[in-house]
Amino acid sequence: MAMKFIIILFVVVLAAPQLADAQLSGLLGLININGTIFCSLNGNIVPNAATPTIPFANALVQVSCGGNVLSSAITNSAGIFSIILDPLQSLLGGLLSSCNVVVATPLATCNASLPAVGVLQSPLQLVGTTLRGLLRIVNLVPVLFQLVG
Ligand SMILES: *[C@@H]1O[C@H](CO)[C@@H](O)[C@H](O)[C@H]1NC(C)=O
Ligand SMILES: *[C@@H]1O[C@H](CO)[C@@H](O)[C@H](O)[C@H]1NC(C)=O
């Protein structure tokens, strides 16, 4: 009994430094989801259009996982949004497999000729990792938007 206890204690002590390391690197990392939304049926610049496609400013952009909104942001005047997530709260694998970027504001808001119903939605893809000091930032971007709903 006492022997068993000592062995367990020994294992815990051995495992502790690794645990601390894992937690530390987790805390020093962030997930950044960003992109630019344009006012068109797929959120991109319409090629060779008579009038240049305007950015979709003040649009509500959400990271949505199975209907649950994890986080959101508003696009700036250039249509750019950026959402920072804590990897301790959202696992990268889950984000890539079951989450979408959703532009919740209807397209008709930026151009009355575009649909008032439905939202732009895109899955996420990993584009790389950047280091900012001690911070490791994992960068994700939308793959391709489609009008859904
Ligand atoms: C998104 O973030 C990446 C990495 O920080 C950066 O290179 C890129 O310019 C950003 N894109 C936009 C639209 O802000
Ligand atoms: C609004 O959308 C229509 C249809 O896609 C397009 O022809 C028109 O150029 C757009 N207007 C502006 C100001 O972008």
Side-chain angles (χ1 to χ4, degrees), residues 2-145:
M3 189 64 184
K4 204 172 181 183
F5 177 74
I6 289 167
I7 289 170
I8 289 170
L9 196 71
F10 187 62
V11 169
V12 167
V13 168
L14 272 185
Q18 277 95 323
L19 205 68
D21 274 356
Q23 279 170 343
L24 199 66
S25 59
L27 285 172
L28 292 173
L30 291 173
I31 297 171
N32 173 42
I33 301 173
N34 72 358
T36 309
I37 315 287
F38 286 90
C39 189
S40 74
L41 283 173
N42 67 1
N44 283 323
I45 292 177
V46 178
N48 312 314
T51 37
T53 318
I54 58 166
F56 196 168
N58 301 312
L60 176 61
V61 179
Q62 301 169 328
V63 176
S64 176
C65 312
N68 295 319
V69 175
L70 212 63
S71 188
S72 61
I74 304 283
T75 57
N76 68 10
S77 59
I80 295 172
F81 73 91
S82 174
I83 294 171
I84 303 289
L85 297 174
D86 184 339
L88 293 182
Q89 285 160 359
S90 32
L91 294 170
L92 187 59
L95 280 171
L96 292 170
S97 65
S98 45
C99 301
N100 283 297
V101 176
V102 174
V103 182
T105 308
L107 282 169
T109 311
C110 62
N111 181 338
S113 321
L114 294 176
V117 177
V119 294
L120 292 175
Q121 181 178 301
S122 168
L124 287 161
Q125 66 181 335
L126 178 69
V127 287
T129 303
T130 46
L131 272 179
R132 213 170 287 168
L134 281 176
L135 268 185
R136 195 170 64 92
I137 299 170
V138 176
N139 296 298
L140 305 183
V141 296
V143 181
L144 187 68
F145 282 104

